[in-house]
Amino acid sequence: MINIRKNFLLIFKLSILIVTCYLVYKNLNNQENLVILIDQLDYKYSIVIFILFIIASHLQIYITMNTIMMKLVKRLKFRYFAKLFFNSQIISTILPHSGLVYRAYELKKIDLSYTDFIGVNYFLAWFYLFFSLILYSIEILIFGLELENYRYILFIFGIATGLGTYFIPFLFLLIPRLNFKKKIVQKIYEKIRYIFLIPIEFKNNRFFKFLSINGLIGHIINFLLIYFTIKSVNIDLSISQIVIFFVINSFLDQVPIIPKNLGISELVFGLVSSSMGLGFEVGLFIKLILRCFSFINLIFFSIIYNLTLIKE
């Protein structure tokens, strides 16, 4: 049954990848436009974009490491955890999700159980999903002029979804504890219950403040990434249009349907760009630039941290 489910998910994700890549190809009205966009690319923004990627990735490492240290009640070396982070990202690029297995295995050596590893990742995903949805909703309401009246619907939906996400563990807590006759079923149930209730265990005003402040900093950095990437393409967009690209990019990064949402993000960026009258190629090109810098950042710092630790 487990193998059937895994195979189904694999086929499903591969199907999505193939379909989205086909749709991207079909929507390319003029491939020469991509060549023109490459020619007009302003490379002076490259350093700024690369620095922002460095800050964003290291901020993510800092947040994740501190969350794990809260669970372990022991300190971790930043360079050690950064190496795990970048290595796992590269491994996941080659073989989807395998990077998480690698990171869980390495952290198990320092007494972080697999259950706690899943719990920490679930906790961070839970916190930043509801936190970001609230911010996205407010930004869409204020800056989403391109969306006209739809922005009010998106605002209400975003706020409702964000608050709904926040209350998930608290609602789970209200469900009476179940008892199963089979020990293996009871054990699995207890682990699932433990993972779902981890946000309540972490419910610490000081730590939530730490996550909120750093989350807001990361939010601003990611906006600047989109802003300077668009600037590098030499396309004049309003702040409203830039915010729409930013919200879409951030949301798709947070909610991966397939690994890295490869193909999906390119298609959505292209369609949004077309709806703005810019042409499909512009949105596609913007996303390709982001992917290129992200990959360079991963490769560069994976080498740096691996070499640094080898010398030690």
Side-chain angles (χ1 to χ4, degrees):
M1 183 64 74
I2 294 174
N3 287 332
I4 293 172
R5 181 173 173 272
K6 284 183 178 179
N7 291 332
F8 173 77
L9 286 173
L10 179 61
I11 293 169
F12 176 71
K13 290 180 179 182
L14 280 173
S15 300
I16 291 176
L17 176 62
I18 293 168
V19 170
T20 51
C21 287
Y22 172 75
L23 290 173
V24 167
Y25 174 75
K26 289 293 289 182
N27 278 279
L28 279 172
N29 299 317
N30 189 350
Q31 295 181 21
E32 291 181 2
N33 287 343
L34 284 175
V35 177
I36 294 170
L37 287 168
I38 293 171
D39 289 338
Q40 71 182 36
L41 191 63
D42 194 340
Y43 291 97
K44 73 182 180 185
Y45 290 104
S46 299
I47 296 174
V48 178
I49 295 169
F50 186 57
I51 290 171
L52 287 170
F53 262 109
I54 292 172
I55 297 170
S57 59
H58 284 77
L59 181 64
Q60 186 181 351
I61 292 166
Y62 177 68
I63 293 169
T64 307
M65 187 184 73
N66 274 274
T67 308
I68 289 172
M69 287 194 299
M70 280 280 290
K71 192 66 191 170
L72 282 174
V73 197
K74 66 165 68 172
R75 295 197 63 80
L76 297 175
K77 288 185 177 180
F78 185 85
R79 279 180 293 180
Y80 164 77
F81 192 77
K83 186 196 85 167
L84 292 186
F85 175 85
F86 286 113
N87 286 353
S88 66
Q89 291 287 309
I90 290 173
I91 293 169
S92 287
T93 302
I94 300 167
L95 191 61
H97 305 304
S98 57
L100 284 174
V101 177
Y102 157 78
R103 203 190 306 177
Y105 174 76
E106 290 295 325
L107 290 171
K108 183 74 167 63
K109 296 176 182 178
I110 55 172
D111 302 325
L112 184 72
S113 69
Y114 294 130
T115 304
D116 282 336
F117 176 80
I118 295 170
V120 166
N121 282 277
Y122 159 70
F123 166 71
L124 288 173
W126 165 80
F127 181 86
Y128 282 118
L129 183 59
F130 91 75
F131 180 79
S132 299
L133 281 170
I134 300 298
L135 291 178
Y136 298 153
S137 301
I138 295 170
E139 287 159 354
I140 288 292
L141 180 66
I142 298 172
F143 300 106
L145 302 178
E146 296 285 328
L147 300 171
E148 297 179 348
N149 292 331
Y150 288 109
R151 74 180 194 266
Y152 297 108
I153 297 171
L154 289 171
F155 170 74
I156 295 168
F157 179 77
I159 293 293
T161 307
L163 292 174
T165 302
Y166 177 79
F167 285 112
I168 285 174
F170 299 97
L171 292 172
F172 197 85
L173 184 63
L174 296 176
I175 300 173
R177 202 185 206 100
L178 302 175
N179 291 303
F180 298 92
K181 291 181 179 180
K182 291 187 177 181
K183 290 183 179 180
I184 185 67
V185 177
Q186 185 67 34
K187 190 175 182 181
I188 294 171
Y189 165 75
E190 291 295 341
K191 286 185 179 295
I192 293 172
R193 179 181 170 82
Y194 172 76
I195 289 168
F196 267 90
L197 295 179
I198 269 186
I200 297 174
E201 181 185 332
F202 271 107
K203 197 171 183 301
N204 176 302
N205 290 336
R206 188 175 177 183
F207 190 64
F208 271 36
K209 184 180 178 182
F210 163 82
L211 291 176
S212 300
I213 291 171
N214 284 286
L216 189 58
I217 293 170
H219 197 77
I220 294 168
I221 291 168
N222 287 323
F223 173 77
L224 291 175
L225 266 172
I226 291 291
Y227 176 81
F228 284 111
T229 301
I230 291 172
K231 281 289 183 183
S232 72
V233 184
N234 280 313
I235 300 291
D236 285 328
L237 295 183
S238 66
I239 190 68
S240 172
Q241 291 171 316
I242 294 172
V243 167
I244 290 170
F245 273 116
F246 160 66
V247 170
I248 290 170
N249 184 65
S250 299
F251 182 75
L252 288 173
D253 282 348
Q254 278 187 289
V255 187
I257 300 168
I258 59 175
K260 305 290 183 185
N261 272 334
L262 188 63
I264 295 176
S265 294
E266 283 77 2
L267 179 63
V268 173
F269 261 62
L271 293 174
V272 169
S273 179
S274 294
S275 71
M276 292 178 180
L278 301 170
F280 187 88
E281 294 80 10
V282 172
L284 173 62
F285 190 60
I286 289 169
K287 187 58 193 180
L288 290 177
I289 292 173
L290 290 168
R291 287 209 188 277
C292 181
F293 276 100
S294 176
F295 188 68
I296 292 170
N297 180 56
L298 286 179
I299 295 292
F300 180 76
F301 280 101
S302 179
I303 293 170
I304 291 294
Y305 284 113
N306 277 284
L307 288 177
T308 303
L309 289 173
I310 287 172
K311 288 180 180 179
E312 289 183 356

